[in-house]
Amino acid sequence: MLSTYQYPKFEYVRPPEIAEGRDGHYPVVIVGAGPVGLCTAIDLARQGRQVLLLDNDDTVSIGSRGVCYAKRTLEVLDRLGCGEEMVHKGVSWNVGRTFFREDEVFNFNLCPEPDHHRPGMINLQQYYLEDYLVQRARKLPNLEMRFKNSVIAVTPGEDEASLRVETPDGAYTLTTDWLVVADGARSPIRTMLGLDIDGKIFMDRFLIADVVMKADFPTERWFWFDPPFHPNQSVLLHRQADNVFRIDFQLGWQADPEQEKKPENVIPRIQAMIGDDREFELEWVSVYTFQCRRMNRFNHGRVLFVGDSAHQVSPFGARGANSGIQDADNLVWKLALVMDGKAPATLLDTYGDERGFAADENIMNSTRSTDFITPKSRTSKTFRNAVLGLAEHHPFARALVNSGRLSVPSFLVGSRLNTADDAVFAGNMVPGAPMDDAPIATADGESWLLQALGDRFQVLHYVADAADLDAASAAALQSLAEGAIPVEPIVVAARGQAPAGLRTLTDAKGRIRERYDLQPGTTYLVRPDQHVTARWRALDPARVRAAVARATCNA
């Protein structure tokens, strides 16, 4: 094989509950060591929580599966401590191209602005992501991982949840204050608890082929409608690490999945696409069906659902793993505050509200993409093809082309945790917005705004020259660090250093000022997950404290 990846085997260790003949109790138990479960566990553990992570397998996912990881996800992974490995190993890209038959009819750029740290997307096989996350998890002493531990029963209670866990050495019982369920789209725990998941299954099938080959395809997303090598259907191509190319072939609903996965049926499709004389090998093949579904509620007392266990979308648009990792990002800071007694349990309702909104947004976009890619009638296909034919020469038609609206973070503008503006601002950094990145100058050269923020409430106060910050404002900023939920004060300035005790971020290129519409005195309050929650044109500590109370359901 041209691919060099060696699937790891994670060691099974006999649980102490079996070895010592007792029940166990953990503050947080997470079920499912896929990307979402691992991110949730790492985030909680690195913030000092004791976490037990259970998985019924003993290796990473087989095959590429989740391929595209969006800029927002990479920024989350940076905070977790493994974004750099991902970007270094993965294939970075910003440009996508759409073809109708043999002609390019549409293209896009995911990151048209300069001065962002991370690309719009990287392509990387899911097994690498999981491998990096497991390596990161092993460095956290308060995070225990148990492989070949399968949850066979869950009993939720008012104050805790009880689990029965099966292992190669027999079964044992655990209790936990909080159970986070990340056990995938088929979610055995969701089924055990008899919880709903509603939505739609689309009548079409796609073949995934991971193909190892040396090819000169550019590092872009290429999507074909009705190409000559696969007529009347669609094809998607992505370059991944290690000379692995991910190719998705539309098959139609009548296709037999087991027959289509056989090499003698897959290989001719690939040869028709790339030419008979190019050497390649099949690494992994699968067939999938589009689904768009979600639970009505993601939080059920002491049981919290994240990722595919809570919601599923069709794969075009890269909205599965990206959305799930953002679930974890949203949940962890809220759960940590509740566990510490600094916020009421009602704060967890806002996890369901905000990520439910994001799920609805993803399902809407995914459904629209699916309807365009796989028309359900002759009339809709005629319309689709007419749009594609016009798009090459007419800008109005390009807006209608939909080969998968790609993952972007949700703007939580309707969240009850936000404090409404009382002044006029330009730009996109409204309350509820995910923060835009920007370069900052450091003594060692250049760093990035988002790498300097996160994991706690922080207030950004702008002055042109930090050395000119008056004593009253400095004292007001420093006072915000006191209280049950401290807020870290940060001065943003074009130059200079703030007085001792205040961190300064130097906006040497002016990108922060530009993207956040900063004027002298402008103050932003940002959440631990790097969403804006309030902003003002002048600093008022009382207003900041009131906004923190609102953002933590303490108001």
Side-chain angles (χ1 to χ4, degrees):
M1 290 289 289
L2 299 173
S3 179
T4 58
Y5 185 77
Q6 299 293 318
Y7 284 89
K9 277 287 186 181
F10 305 129
E11 182 183 5
Y12 163 75
V13 177
R14 192 180 193 197
E17 288 78 10
I18 292 178
E20 300 168 16
R22 59 175 174 82
D23 292 347
H25 180 84
Y26 293 83
V28 183
V29 172
I30 299 171
V31 179
V36 179
L38 281 161
C39 285
T40 307
I42 291 168
D43 206 358
L44 282 166
R46 72 190 184 89
Q47 296 185 53
R49 275 58 186 193
Q50 194 72 32
V51 180
L52 174 63
L53 177 62
L54 305 175
D55 194 85
N56 61 359
D57 203 356
D58 62 352
T59 189
V60 296
S61 294
I62 306 299
S64 60
R65 299 186 183 273
V67 169
C68 302
Y69 300 100
K71 179 175 181 290
R72 180 64 180 172
T73 296
L74 298 174
E75 292 161 354
V76 174
L77 292 169
D78 278 335
R79 297 210 308 279
L80 298 187
C82 52
E84 195 62 41
E85 297 98 318
M86 288 279 295
V87 175
H88 179 74
K89 184 65 180 178
V91 175
S92 297
W93 63 276
N94 289 310
V95 174
R97 301 187 187 279
T98 299
F99 302 88
F100 181 42
R101 300 185 177 122
E102 297 181 88
D103 298 322
E104 181 179 338
V105 296
F106 177 73
N107 63 68
F108 59 82
N109 189 333
L110 294 174
C111 197
E113 291 183 331
D115 293 322
H116 284 267
H117 184 210
R118 294 308 186 194
M121 285 275 179
I122 68 165
N123 291 344
L124 186 67
Q125 299 89 311
Q126 184 171 318
Y127 46 74
Y128 274 117
L129 171 59
E130 293 182 14
D131 204 339
Y132 294 145
L133 289 169
V134 168
Q135 293 176 39
R136 174 73 176 109
R138 284 178 165 159
K139 297 176 182 177
L140 299 167
N142 50 335
L143 170 51
E144 179 184 354
M145 293 182 289
R146 296 182 186 175
F147 297 100
K148 303 298 283 186
N149 279 243
S150 180
V151 176
I152 57 174
V154 173
T155 305
E158 186 174 337
D159 299 318
E160 63 182 24
S162 176
L163 295 81
R164 190 70 175 161
V165 185
E166 184 69 52
T167 77
D169 290 317
Y172 65 96
T173 298
L174 291 174
T175 56
T176 182
D177 298 330
W178 298 97
L179 174 63
V180 180
V181 182
D183 59 353
R186 294 183 176 87
S187 187
I189 292 178
R190 189 183 64 225
T191 301
M192 291 173 201
L193 298 180
L195 296 173
D196 54 33
I197 184 161
D198 300 320
K200 182 178 181 181
I201 297 176
F202 292 88
M203 306 289 280
D204 208 339
R205 292 190 171 96
F206 276 75
L207 171 77
I208 300 173
D210 281 353
V211 180
V212 186
M213 62 180 173
K214 293 180 179 178
D216 54 1
F217 293 112
T219 54
E220 299 174 345
R221 177 189 194 262
W222 283 12
F223 192 102
W224 289 267
F225 291 97
D226 192 15
F229 54 83
H230 194 56
N232 299 313
Q233 303 284 22
S234 301
V235 178
L236 174 65
L237 173 71
H238 278 289
R239 177 193 288 269
Q240 303 177 91
D242 301 335
N243 295 314
V244 178
F245 287 79
R246 163 78 169 265
I247 309 174
D248 295 41
F249 293 97
Q250 184 182 6
L251 298 176
W253 184 245
Q254 302 304 320
D256 183 327
E258 295 308 313
Q259 289 296 317
E260 293 293 346
K261 287 190 290 186
K262 292 181 177 179
E264 60 265 31
N265 293 322
V266 177
I267 289 172
R269 296 189 188 281
I270 297 169
Q271 288 174 327
M273 178 180 180
I274 66 174
D276 292 340
D277 56 348
R278 187 185 297 274
E279 179 186 357
F280 67 89
E281 296 182 37
L282 290 178
E283 184 175 80
W284 177 69
V285 176
S286 183
V287 173
Y288 64 84
T289 301
F290 284 170
Q291 297 185 59
C292 288
R293 307 190 297 167
R294 61 160 286 193
M295 298 177 70
N296 289 325
R297 290 182 56 211
F298 298 169
N299 60 310
H300 293 262
R302 297 277 169 167
V303 184
L304 307 159
F305 290 81
V306 291
D308 285 351
S309 69
H311 48 78
Q312 296 118 49
V313 292
S314 53
F316 291 120
R319 294 174 179 270
N322 287 293
S323 179
I325 290 171
Q326 290 171 60
D327 287 351
D329 194 41
N330 187 289
L331 173 63
V332 164
W333 70 269
K334 297 174 180 178
L335 181 56
L337 285 174
V338 172
M339 291 176 69
D340 289 346
K342 294 181 178 180
T346 51
L347 181 59
L348 296 174
D349 293 337
T350 72
Y351 160 69
D353 293 342
E354 291 182 347
R355 294 312 300 167
F357 167 79
D360 288 341
E361 194 172 59
N362 283 327
I363 287 171
M364 176 190 70
N365 280 292
S366 188
T367 299
R368 289 176 177 175
S369 298
T370 302
D371 286 342
F372 193 86
I373 293 168
T374 61
K376 304 304 181 292
S377 69
R378 182 174 296 178
T379 300
S380 58
K381 186 171 184 177
T382 300
F383 171 79
R384 195 272 312 271
N385 288 349
V387 167
L388 291 169
L390 290 167
E392 183 178 3
H393 302 292
H394 300 282
F396 82 89
R398 292 170 199 153
L400 302 175
V401 175
N402 192 340
S403 62
R405 298 281 189 258
L406 292 168
S407 175
V408 293
S410 291
F411 280 62
L412 306 173
V413 294
S415 173
R416 55 184 154 131
L417 303 185
N418 297 335
T419 296
D421 284 340
D422 62 0
V424 176
F425 286 82
N428 297 323
M429 293 295 97
V430 298
M435 295 182 69
D436 270 351
D437 206 359
I440 57 175
T442 68
D444 299 324
E446 186 176 78
S447 187
W448 298 92
L449 174 65
L450 295 187
Q451 291 195 331
L453 303 179
D455 298 337
R456 55 203 173 279
F457 281 94
Q458 294 166 314
V459 70
L460 307 181
H461 180 69
Y462 180 72
V463 292
D465 189 331
D468 293 338
L469 184 70
D470 62 87
S473 295
L477 286 168
Q478 289 169 330
S479 73
L480 294 171
E482 304 166 0
I485 301 178
V487 178
E488 182 189 8
I490 299 173
V491 174
V492 177
R495 58 193 173 276
Q497 289 293 315
L502 289 173
R503 187 151 63 110
T504 303
L505 301 182
T506 303
D507 183 28
K509 290 187 176 180
R511 295 298 187 191
I512 307 176
R513 178 179 55 80
E514 171 190 312
R515 289 170 185 165
Y516 290 78
D517 187 24
L518 299 180
Q519 302 170 8
T522 298
T523 303
Y524 273 75
L525 177 65
V526 298
R527 304 186 337 184
D529 60 356
Q530 298 182 334
H531 278 256
V532 174
T533 193
R535 58 184 180 172
W536 307 270
R537 284 302 185 190
L539 172 63
D540 183 338
R543 283 183 157 187
V544 174
R545 293 188 184 97
V548 172
R550 183 181 182 89
T552 57
C553 291
N554 282 306

